[in-house]
PDB file of all heavy atoms in Angstrom:
ATOM      1  N   PRO P 153       1.602  18.799   0.794  1.00 56.00           N
ATOM      2  CA  PRO P 153       0.339  19.189   0.168  1.00 56.00           C
ATOM      3  C   PRO P 153      -0.269  18.069  -0.642  1.00 56.00           C
ATOM      4  O   PRO P 153       0.346  17.045  -0.819  1.00 56.00           O
ATOM      5  CB  PRO P 153       0.770  20.329  -0.757  1.00 56.00           C
ATOM      6  CG  PRO P 153       2.154  19.946  -1.153  1.00 56.00           C
ATOM      7  CD  PRO P 153       2.759  19.285   0.055  1.00 56.00           C
ATOM      8  N   GLN P 154      -1.467  18.242  -1.118  1.00 77.00           N
ATOM      9  CA  GLN P 154      -2.169  17.205  -1.850  1.00 77.00           C
ATOM     10  C   GLN P 154      -1.745  17.150  -3.320  1.00 77.00           C
ATOM     11  O   GLN P 154      -1.749  16.091  -3.909  1.00 77.00           O
ATOM     12  CB  GLN P 154      -3.685  17.438  -1.775  1.00 77.00           C
ATOM     13  CG  GLN P 154      -4.224  17.451  -0.356  1.00 77.00           C
ATOM     14  CD  GLN P 154      -4.029  16.120   0.331  1.00 77.00           C
ATOM     15  OE1 GLN P 154      -4.418  15.086  -0.185  1.00 77.00           O
ATOM     16  NE2 GLN P 154      -3.396  16.123   1.494  1.00 77.00           N
ATOM     17  N   ALA P 155      -1.393  18.291  -3.883  1.00 86.00           N
ATOM     18  CA  ALA P 155      -0.999  18.354  -5.298  1.00 86.00           C
ATOM     19  C   ALA P 155       0.161  19.314  -5.437  1.00 86.00           C
ATOM     20  O   ALA P 155       0.195  20.350  -4.782  1.00 86.00           O
ATOM     21  CB  ALA P 155      -2.172  18.791  -6.169  1.00 86.00           C
ATOM     22  N   LEU P 156       1.088  18.938  -6.296  1.00 89.00           N
ATOM     23  CA  LEU P 156       2.310  19.715  -6.461  1.00 89.00           C
ATOM     24  C   LEU P 156       2.705  19.709  -7.921  1.00 89.00           C
ATOM     25  O   LEU P 156       2.739  18.648  -8.556  1.00 89.00           O
ATOM     26  CB  LEU P 156       3.413  19.078  -5.612  1.00 89.00           C
ATOM     27  CG  LEU P 156       4.752  19.782  -5.480  1.00 89.00           C
ATOM     28  CD1 LEU P 156       4.558  21.131  -4.812  1.00 89.00           C
ATOM     29  CD2 LEU P 156       5.713  18.925  -4.666  1.00 89.00           C
ATOM     30  N   SER P 157       2.971  20.876  -8.456  1.00 92.00           N
ATOM     31  CA  SER P 157       3.390  20.992  -9.843  1.00 92.00           C
ATOM     32  C   SER P 157       4.712  21.749  -9.878  1.00 92.00           C
ATOM     33  O   SER P 157       4.790  22.864  -9.354  1.00 92.00           O
ATOM     34  CB  SER P 157       2.324  21.739 -10.657  1.00 92.00           C
ATOM     35  OG  SER P 157       2.675  21.770 -12.012  1.00 92.00           O
ATOM     36  N   ILE P 158       5.742  21.113 -10.444  1.00 92.00           N
ATOM     37  CA  ILE P 158       7.073  21.737 -10.433  1.00 92.00           C
ATOM     38  C   ILE P 158       7.724  21.580 -11.800  1.00 92.00           C
ATOM     39  O   ILE P 158       7.311  20.751 -12.616  1.00 92.00           O
ATOM     40  CB  ILE P 158       7.974  21.095  -9.360  1.00 92.00           C
ATOM     41  CG1 ILE P 158       8.091  19.585  -9.590  1.00 92.00           C
ATOM     42  CG2 ILE P 158       7.473  21.423  -7.975  1.00 92.00           C
ATOM     43  CD1 ILE P 158       9.084  18.920  -8.674  1.00 92.00           C
ATOM     44  N   GLN P 159       8.774  22.349 -12.016  1.00 95.00           N
ATOM     45  CA  GLN P 159       9.546  22.247 -13.243  1.00 95.00           C
ATOM     46  C   GLN P 159      10.596  21.154 -13.076  1.00 95.00           C
ATOM     47  O   GLN P 159      11.108  20.913 -11.973  1.00 95.00           O
ATOM     48  CB  GLN P 159      10.246  23.578 -13.535  1.00 95.00           C
ATOM     49  CG  GLN P 159       9.299  24.718 -13.850  1.00 95.00           C
ATOM     50  CD  GLN P 159       8.647  24.575 -15.215  1.00 95.00           C
ATOM     51  OE1 GLN P 159       9.229  23.995 -16.138  1.00 95.00           O
ATOM     52  NE2 GLN P 159       7.431  25.096 -15.356  1.00 95.00           N
ATOM     53  N   GLU P 160      10.900  20.513 -14.187  1.00 96.00           N
ATOM     54  CA  GLU P 160      11.967  19.513 -14.185  1.00 96.00           C
ATOM     55  C   GLU P 160      13.260  20.126 -13.648  1.00 96.00           C
ATOM     56  O   GLU P 160      13.611  21.255 -13.985  1.00 96.00           O
ATOM     57  CB  GLU P 160      12.174  19.001 -15.608  1.00 96.00           C
ATOM     58  CG  GLU P 160      12.862  17.659 -15.699  1.00 96.00           C
ATOM     59  CD  GLU P 160      12.745  17.047 -17.084  1.00 96.00           C
ATOM     60  OE1 GLU P 160      12.690  17.814 -18.064  1.00 96.00           O
ATOM     61  OE2 GLU P 160      12.671  15.811 -17.183  1.00 96.00           O
ATOM     62  N   GLY P 161      13.937  19.387 -12.792  1.00 96.00           N
ATOM     63  CA  GLY P 161      15.176  19.868 -12.193  1.00 96.00           C
ATOM     64  C   GLY P 161      14.981  20.447 -10.802  1.00 96.00           C
ATOM     65  O   GLY P 161      15.944  20.536 -10.042  1.00 96.00           O
ATOM     66  N   GLU P 162      13.765  20.859 -10.495  1.00 96.00           N
ATOM     67  CA  GLU P 162      13.496  21.383  -9.153  1.00 96.00           C
ATOM     68  C   GLU P 162      13.357  20.240  -8.153  1.00 96.00           C
ATOM     69  O   GLU P 162      13.189  19.076  -8.525  1.00 96.00           O
ATOM     70  CB  GLU P 162      12.224  22.231  -9.174  1.00 96.00           C
ATOM     71  CG  GLU P 162      12.348  23.505  -9.976  1.00 96.00           C
ATOM     72  CD  GLU P 162      11.058  24.320  -9.947  1.00 96.00           C
ATOM     73  OE1 GLU P 162       9.996  23.750  -9.660  1.00 96.00           O
ATOM     74  OE2 GLU P 162      11.142  25.528 -10.231  1.00 96.00           O
ATOM     75  N   ASN P 163      13.375  20.604  -6.891  1.00 96.00           N
ATOM     76  CA  ASN P 163      13.141  19.632  -5.825  1.00 96.00           C
ATOM     77  C   ASN P 163      11.661  19.617  -5.456  1.00 96.00           C
ATOM     78  O   ASN P 163      10.976  20.646  -5.522  1.00 96.00           O
ATOM     79  CB  ASN P 163      13.975  19.980  -4.594  1.00 96.00           C
ATOM     80  CG  ASN P 163      15.465  19.866  -4.847  1.00 96.00           C
ATOM     81  OD1 ASN P 163      15.903  19.239  -5.815  1.00 96.00           O
ATOM     82  ND2 ASN P 163      16.244  20.510  -4.000  1.00 96.00           N
ATOM     83  N   ALA P 164      11.192  18.448  -5.054  1.00 93.00           N
ATOM     84  CA  ALA P 164       9.809  18.304  -4.606  1.00 93.00           C
ATOM     85  C   ALA P 164       9.821  17.776  -3.180  1.00 93.00           C
ATOM     86  O   ALA P 164      10.525  16.806  -2.883  1.00 93.00           O
ATOM     87  CB  ALA P 164       9.047  17.329  -5.507  1.00 93.00           C
ATOM     88  N   THR P 165       9.054  18.414  -2.312  1.00 93.00           N
ATOM     89  CA  THR P 165       8.968  17.985  -0.927  1.00 93.00           C
ATOM     90  C   THR P 165       7.521  17.718  -0.557  1.00 93.00           C
ATOM     91  O   THR P 165       6.632  18.508  -0.865  1.00 93.00           O
ATOM     92  CB  THR P 165       9.521  19.073   0.017  1.00 93.00           C
ATOM     93  OG1 THR P 165      10.896  19.311  -0.296  1.00 93.00           O
ATOM     94  CG2 THR P 165       9.416  18.611   1.468  1.00 93.00           C
ATOM     95  N   MET P 166       7.320  16.563   0.073  1.00 91.00           N
ATOM     96  CA  MET P 166       5.988  16.190   0.546  1.00 91.00           C
ATOM     97  C   MET P 166       6.082  15.846   2.018  1.00 91.00           C
ATOM     98  O   MET P 166       7.090  15.288   2.455  1.00 91.00           O
ATOM     99  CB  MET P 166       5.484  14.956  -0.202  1.00 91.00           C
ATOM    100  CG  MET P 166       5.085  15.234  -1.615  1.00 91.00           C
ATOM    101  SD  MET P 166       5.146  13.760  -2.627  1.00 91.00           S
ATOM    102  CE  MET P 166       6.841  13.810  -3.198  1.00 91.00           C
ATOM    103  N   ASN P 167       5.057  16.184   2.745  1.00 92.00           N
ATOM    104  CA  ASN P 167       5.026  15.906   4.176  1.00 92.00           C
ATOM    105  C   ASN P 167       3.922  14.928   4.510  1.00 92.00           C
ATOM    106  O   ASN P 167       2.919  14.816   3.791  1.00 92.00           O
ATOM    107  CB  ASN P 167       4.816  17.197   4.953  1.00 92.00           C
ATOM    108  CG  ASN P 167       5.938  18.178   4.740  1.00 92.00           C
ATOM    109  OD1 ASN P 167       7.104  17.834   4.890  1.00 92.00           O
ATOM    110  ND2 ASN P 167       5.611  19.399   4.331  1.00 92.00           N
ATOM    111  N   CYS P 168       4.123  14.229   5.599  1.00 92.00           N
ATOM    112  CA  CYS P 168       3.146  13.242   6.062  1.00 92.00           C
ATOM    113  C   CYS P 168       3.079  13.329   7.576  1.00 92.00           C
ATOM    114  O   CYS P 168       4.126  13.392   8.237  1.00 92.00           O
ATOM    115  CB  CYS P 168       3.591  11.852   5.617  1.00 92.00           C
ATOM    116  SG  CYS P 168       2.644  10.484   6.299  1.00 92.00           S
ATOM    117  N   SER P 169       1.876  13.363   8.119  1.00 92.00           N
ATOM    118  CA  SER P 169       1.724  13.348   9.564  1.00 92.00           C
ATOM    119  C   SER P 169       0.903  12.145   9.961  1.00 92.00           C
ATOM    120  O   SER P 169       0.130  11.603   9.154  1.00 92.00           O
ATOM    121  CB  SER P 169       1.047  14.633  10.038  1.00 92.00           C
ATOM    122  OG  SER P 169      -0.243  14.760   9.467  1.00 92.00           O
ATOM    123  N   TYR P 170       1.064  11.718  11.173  1.00 92.00           N
ATOM    124  CA  TYR P 170       0.318  10.574  11.661  1.00 92.00           C
ATOM    125  C   TYR P 170      -0.028  10.798  13.123  1.00 92.00           C
ATOM    126  O   TYR P 170       0.445  11.768  13.745  1.00 92.00           O
ATOM    127  CB  TYR P 170       1.123   9.279  11.479  1.00 92.00           C
ATOM    128  CG  TYR P 170       2.491   9.285  12.119  1.00 92.00           C
ATOM    129  CD1 TYR P 170       2.678   8.804  13.415  1.00 92.00           C
ATOM    130  CD2 TYR P 170       3.589   9.781  11.438  1.00 92.00           C
ATOM    131  CE1 TYR P 170       3.924   8.818  14.006  1.00 92.00           C
ATOM    132  CE2 TYR P 170       4.844   9.795  12.026  1.00 92.00           C
ATOM    133  CZ  TYR P 170       5.003   9.317  13.303  1.00 92.00           C
ATOM    134  OH  TYR P 170       6.247   9.341  13.889  1.00 92.00           O
TER     135      TYR P 170
END
Side-chain angles (χ1 to χ4, degrees):
Chain P
Q154 301 297 307
L156 187 62
S157 184
I158 57 173
Q159 294 288 330
E160 201 166 32
E162 293 181 339
N163 295 343
T165 300
M166 287 157 271
N167 298 309
C168 171
S169 61
Y170 56 92

